[in-house]
């Protein structure tokens, strides 16, 4: 089982979300060859795959996705030809994250039958809305009474080299919209109108100036960023009746969506009272903050990486959200994969040597895990 060849075969299936384009067929065939029992689990318009080798505990799961983001503009390489040039493998999904899946499969082939179980939980819906993928796969597993003990997500979380970073958590993300409603009127008679713009400006500056926290043991400080302020008033003689703004908060384990919504509502209510405008706040959470606290499992992964690369990984909680935010409710989960510098970009690529390095790390991890399970 050659990791590079399998990565190339996967990249040659243009599986742009929600299309599968045969990518899961390629993976399923490779896993069957290794003795895995496979299940194809289509939910809605998304195809997914669960495969398990062995039926006893401990149960080590590798989670990931075969879908990729659209090609976009500006490629010099063919995004689905999976060509190797000067030691680099080019293609959409080379970094995020078909090569990591291939590396894991090659690692299983290297280490052989486990003293326990190895599974792969692979979705075709990570880059999309993530509704018909990992969440439903996990529910399906639970309904069958299958228990995962530990999970590694193969997202491209490394910085320069495979294994230099181990993601042990992620910040949460929540989007807010605020709408300030006043009374429209003539600019010459402002006393007969109620201008929503100064009220919105006050709210924007108060929220933007507030320090949410100073960071926690494993997280950077939470951040708030305004994404838009809209009035859209073309007239020079009209005070508008409404003004809107939007912002996103990336938050650490000191906050919850409820605590943040409460804080924003509180500020908005105070400004509404002062200004006489009404302020409507809506919030949509895309993920809560989570942390796999450093312990036996993270230590095992860290020691294994150090044994292969000569350097312990940096424990990180930065970046966007990933499907690990769903898995964390079922078992300890960390993210370990390739360097992600080119993910989602034109000419996405990864060094062939790095695929081999990640294969070695995954193989060493499986060997260490089943030799002494961190239970
Ligand atoms: Zn990804």
């Amino acid at each position: 089982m050659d990791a590079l060849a399998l990565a190339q075969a996967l990249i040659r299936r243009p599986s742009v979300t929600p299309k599968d384009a045969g990518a899961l067929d390629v993976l399923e065939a490779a896993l069957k060859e290794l003795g895995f029992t496979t299940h194809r689990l289509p939910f809605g318009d998304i195809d997914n795959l669960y495969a398990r080798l062995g039926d006893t505990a401990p149960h080590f799961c590798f989670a990931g996705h075969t879908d990729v983001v659209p090609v976009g503009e500006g490629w010099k390489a063919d995004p689905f030809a999976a060509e190797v040039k000067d030691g680099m493998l080019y293609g959409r999904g080379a970094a995020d994250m078909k090569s990591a899946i291939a590396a894991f499969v090659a690692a299983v082939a290297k280490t052989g039958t486990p003293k326990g179980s190895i599974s792969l939980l692979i979705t075709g819906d990570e880059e999309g809305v993530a509704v018909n993928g990992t969440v439903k796969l996990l529910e399906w597993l639970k309904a069958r009474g299958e228990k995962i003990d530990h999970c590694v997500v193969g997202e491209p979380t490394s910085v320069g080299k495979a294994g230099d970073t181990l993601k042990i958590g992620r910040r949460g993300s929540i989007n807010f919209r605020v709408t300030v409603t006043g009374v429209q009127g003539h600019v010459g008679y402002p006393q007969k109108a109620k201008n929503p713009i100064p009220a919105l400006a006050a709210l924007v500056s108060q929220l933007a100036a507030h320090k949410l926290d100073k960071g926690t043991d494993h997280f950077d400080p939470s951040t708030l960023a305004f994404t838009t302020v809209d009035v859209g008033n073309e007239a020079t003689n009209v005070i508008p009746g409404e003004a809107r703004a939007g912002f996103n908060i990336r938050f650490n384990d000191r906050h919850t969506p409820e605590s943040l919504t409460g804080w924003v509502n509180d500020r908005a209510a105070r400004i509404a009272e002062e200004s006489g405008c009404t302020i409507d706040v809506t919030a949509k959470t895309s993920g809560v903050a989570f942390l796999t606290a450093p312990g036996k499992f993270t230590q095992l992964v860290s020691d294994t990486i150090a044994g292969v690369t000569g350097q312990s990984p940096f424990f990180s909680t930065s970046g966007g959200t990933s499907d690990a935010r769903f898995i964390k409710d079922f078992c300890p989960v960390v993210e370990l994969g390739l360097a992600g510098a080119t993910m989602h970009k034109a000419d996405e690529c990864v060094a062939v040597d790095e695929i081999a390095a990640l294969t070695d790390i995954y193989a060493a991890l499986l060997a260490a895990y089943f030799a002494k399970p961190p239970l």
Side-chain angles (χ1 to χ4, degrees), residues 4-359:
L4 173 61
L6 181 55
Q8 287 177 302
L10 288 170
I11 292 167
R12 287 175 186 145
R13 303 299 187 282
S15 48
V16 177
T17 332
K19 287 204 185 73
D20 169 61
L24 287 176
D25 285 342
V26 169
L27 180 59
E28 187 174 17
L31 291 170
K32 275 188 167 158
E33 225 176 280
L34 295 175
F36 278 81
T37 305
T38 63
H39 303 267
R40 288 293 276 272
L41 298 160
F43 300 115
D45 58 346
I46 300 289
D47 206 351
N48 302 281
L49 171 70
Y50 174 67
R52 180 167 173 167
L53 180 67
D55 50 18
T56 55
H59 180 176
F60 182 102
C61 177
F62 176 89
H65 61 92
T66 45
D67 62 324
V68 295
V69 295
V71 170
E73 305 283 322
W75 285 70
K76 282 199 246 18
D78 178 336
F80 299 113
E83 276 167 343
V84 175
K85 218 175 139 191
D86 301 325
M88 304 294 288
L89 169 64
Y90 285 86
R92 180 54 87 221
D96 186 11
M97 54 166 280
K98 288 174 168 176
S99 303
I101 294 173
F104 187 78
V105 175
V108 176
K110 244 176 157 175
T111 50
T113 310
K115 277 192 287 179
S117 303
I118 298 172
S119 68
L120 283 89
L121 189 79
I122 307 295
T123 174
D125 186 30
E126 201 272 345
E127 302 289 9
V129 287
V131 166
N132 286 318
T134 301
V135 174
K136 293 201 172 151
L137 285 171
L138 290 165
E139 283 168 7
W140 181 84
L141 279 178
K142 201 176 170 189
R144 279 166 59 91
E146 288 201 36
K147 185 180 172 291
I148 298 170
D149 293 303
H150 298 89
C151 182
V152 165
V153 178
E155 286 290 342
T157 47
S158 292
V159 178
K161 293 219 155 275
D164 62 7
T165 305
L166 186 66
K167 208 142 266 192
I168 58 166
R170 295 262 189 172
R171 291 187 299 177
S173 173
I174 181 167
N175 288 308
F176 284 91
R177 297 282 306 171
V178 293
T179 305
V180 182
T181 307
V183 178
Q184 186 180 315
H186 193 296
V187 291
Y189 304 92
Q191 69 279 10
K192 292 184 176 173
K194 198 163 283 169
N195 196 335
I197 295 176
L200 180 64
L203 183 60
V204 169
S205 64
Q206 278 193 21
L207 295 176
H210 182 77
K211 292 237 176 318
L212 286 159
D213 56 72
K214 289 184 179 147
T216 64
D217 284 353
H218 300 285
F219 284 90
D220 288 335
S222 304
T223 55
L224 183 154
F226 273 88
T227 50
T228 187
V229 171
D230 309 305
V231 179
N233 177 26
E234 299 282 327
T236 55
N237 57 355
V238 176
I239 290 170
E242 199 177 274
R244 295 167 302 274
F247 60 96
N248 174 272
I249 299 178
R250 294 295 162 114
F251 57 97
N252 60 32
D253 53 347
R254 178 149 296 166
H255 308 274
T256 62
E258 294 72 32
S259 70
L260 291 167
T261 308
W263 168 65
V264 174
N265 276 328
D266 191 54
R267 292 295 172 112
R270 221 177 298 166
I271 287 173
E273 201 183 311
E274 284 162 16
S275 65
C277 295
T278 54
I279 303 183
D280 179 59
V281 177
T282 59
K284 196 160 185 277
T285 305
S286 38
V288 297
F290 80 92
L291 176 74
T292 294
K296 274 187 188 173
F297 180 50
T298 56
Q299 194 61 47
L300 176 99
V301 179
S302 175
D303 289 349
T304 304
I305 292 170
V308 176
T309 67
Q311 206 169 351
S312 295
F314 173 69
F315 283 7
S316 159
T317 55
S318 67
T321 63
S322 84
D323 276 1
R325 72 187 189 271
F326 307 124
I327 299 167
K328 65 110 168 68
D329 294 333
F330 290 78
C331 67
V333 54
V334 295
E335 297 176 62
L336 169 62
L338 293 160
T342 61
M343 62 178 170
H344 296 205
K345 292 187 176 172
D347 287 325
E348 179 176 346
C349 59
V350 64
V352 172
D353 286 352
E354 283 290 293
I355 301 175
L358 186 63
T359 305

